[in-house]
Amino acid sequence: MAEPGNTAVTWAERMELLKDSAQQRVLNAPMPPAAMEQLLVDGKADALGRFEGSPVRYMDRWWRGDELGWVALDEAASARLDLHAERYRAATAAITPEEEHLEADAALPSVQPEAGAA
């Protein structure tokens, strides 16, 4: 029973708080390089490009590699990098010959649409 003046917290709200707490722990600790590599291989994380030091997007944040492993950027830095990433991809697409696009695409794992997706 909730104390007077305290609103009762539902089970769903508690689960959401736990999820947020766990996510913050992940975002605040460096990730080992092998773990990020596996996320990239599994398609759960996306690298901006195919160059050394390329930032990686995972859990709605951009991550950068350093001597400790992979470190998540804060929300503001991730938002700025989203803009630059969009520009980078557009510029790369504009200057890369079609043959290179096809070769690069062939090296990527195929993406299967989810059932029912249009």
Side-chain angles (χ1 to χ4, degrees):
M1 176 168 223
E3 295 178 26
N6 263 350
T7 58
V9 178
T10 68
W11 184 258
E13 290 169 332
R14 287 182 188 162
M15 294 307 292
E16 191 64 32
L17 289 172
L18 286 173
K19 177 184 152 213
D20 291 345
S21 175
Q23 183 174 2
Q24 285 306 312
R25 283 194 305 273
V26 168
L27 292 172
N28 291 326
M31 182 184 301
M36 183 62 81
E37 185 62 35
Q38 189 62 51
L39 290 167
L40 288 163
V41 168
D42 293 345
K44 295 178 181 176
D46 298 304
L48 174 60
R50 295 174 185 224
F51 54 89
E52 188 171 335
S54 173
V56 172
R57 186 141 177 87
Y58 175 64
M59 290 182 69
D60 297 325
R61 294 279 179 95
W62 284 99
W63 297 64
R64 65 173 172 76
D66 71 8
E67 64 276 353
L68 299 174
W70 287 90
V71 179
L73 302 180
D74 63 27
E75 286 182 30
S78 286
R80 286 191 304 274
L81 190 50
D82 279 336
L83 174 64
H84 293 301
E86 186 177 320
R87 291 168 143 171
Y88 169 79
R89 288 183 177 125
T92 301
I95 63 170
T96 304
E98 185 62 28
E99 302 83 47
E100 289 184 32
H101 281 297
L102 294 174
E103 289 173 14
D105 289 344
L108 294 173
S110 64
V111 177
Q112 300 296 324
E114 294 182 26

